[in-house]
Each structure stands twice: as structure tokens, then as C-alpha cells.
Amino acid sequence: MLKNVGRIDQVIRFSVGLVVLFLTFWGRVHGRLGLLLAALGIYLLMSALLQYCPFYRLLKFSTGK
């Protein structure tokens, strides 16, 4: 698996993912929107940790070196 997420992109994804998960689990967002945001937060954290974004691959885009 090629890395296609650069360092700045990785930091942004990780930060936004944490904020979204905290909002979801602290009970600020409820219902279906909460589940959707939780899934988005997990996706952002995983793509930051793995430095790989499947959507970037589909678009043939990369922020990595």
C-alpha cells in the first residue's frame, strides 16, 4: 500500500478526527448524525495513522512525497 497522505494532511486529519469523535462521544451530537460523524472520525483517524486515503487513490491524487 502506497502512502498518499502527507505530513500536514496527516496532522489535519488526525486533529479533525479527534474533535469529531469527542463531539460524538461526549453526547453533543445524537442519532444518525452522531453515527455518521463517528464513522467519519474513525475514517479520518485511520487514514491519518496509515497515511493512506482510498479516495485519493480513486482520484489519483497525493499529498505525500
Side-chain angles (χ1 to χ4, degrees), residues 6-48:
R7 183 70 175 153
I8 295 173
D9 192 8
Q10 182 182 18
V11 170
I12 292 170
R13 285 171 180 267
F14 192 81
S15 301
V16 172
L18 279 179
V19 168
V20 168
L21 283 177
F22 281 137
L23 288 175
T24 303
F25 291 120
W26 280 345
R28 302 286 182 201
V29 183
H30 302 286
R32 290 182 183 163
L33 180 60
L35 290 175
L36 180 66
L37 287 177
L40 176 66
I42 291 170
Y43 169 76
L44 289 172
L45 285 177
M46 292 304 296
S47 65

